[in-house]
Amino acid sequence: MAANRVQTIANQVVAAPTAATSRSSSASSTTSDIGPLVTLEHGAGGVAELKLCRPKKLNSLNIPMIHDLKKYYAELAEKRTKCVFLKGEGRALCAGGDVQEVQEGIYAGTTLRADF
């Protein structure tokens, strides 16, 4: 019974965009060379889908993605969203933090590891 309810909610989120569905991936969001790193789609009934969009890096988080997630979480709270489906583009949900990016920051002498 609970599985049926979850499937019904999931179908509402992934259904084709309607007047009740809005997408947040504004120009202020960080983008990769192929599109936004994180997208947020609001569905009907207080349901939303948050998607990580770095499939080549197994959706590992970098600083720009963390800033986008923080912004989107605030937006979800403001809209009083009841349910959020977190998805990862490609074969992984999220591999954790982007260790390679942190390592490159250390070599470059940036504060990336402290910021992360």
Side-chain angles (χ1 to χ4, degrees):
M1 187 163 164
N4 291 338
R5 176 76 177 135
V6 169
Q7 186 60 49
T8 301
I9 293 169
N11 290 339
Q12 290 176 355
V13 172
V14 297
T18 64
T21 303
S22 66
R23 186 177 200 138
S24 297
S25 58
S26 63
S28 65
S29 292
T30 310
T31 59
S32 68
D33 51 345
I34 57 170
L37 297 173
V38 180
T39 61
L40 174 61
E41 225 174 284
H42 295 279
V47 178
E49 176 185 283
L50 193 58
K51 187 192 302 186
L52 306 177
C53 304
R54 282 183 82 200
K56 289 183 181 178
K57 292 281 194 169
L58 300 177
N59 299 311
S60 58
L61 300 173
N62 60 16
I63 295 294
M65 289 176 77
I66 292 169
H67 290 298
D68 283 350
L69 287 169
K70 184 178 178 181
K71 178 183 75 173
Y72 288 143
Y73 289 146
E75 183 179 327
L76 290 166
E78 184 179 297
K79 292 188 179 224
R80 299 187 186 275
T81 303
K82 297 175 186 171
C83 178
V84 178
F85 287 93
L86 180 59
K87 294 176 71 176
E89 192 173 294
R91 65 185 177 108
L93 171 61
C94 180
D98 190 339
V99 176
Q100 181 179 1
E101 189 170 296
V102 172
Q103 181 183 23
E104 289 170 1
I106 291 169
Y107 292 147
T110 68
T111 63
L112 184 62
R113 75 168 184 259
D115 294 339
F116 207 87

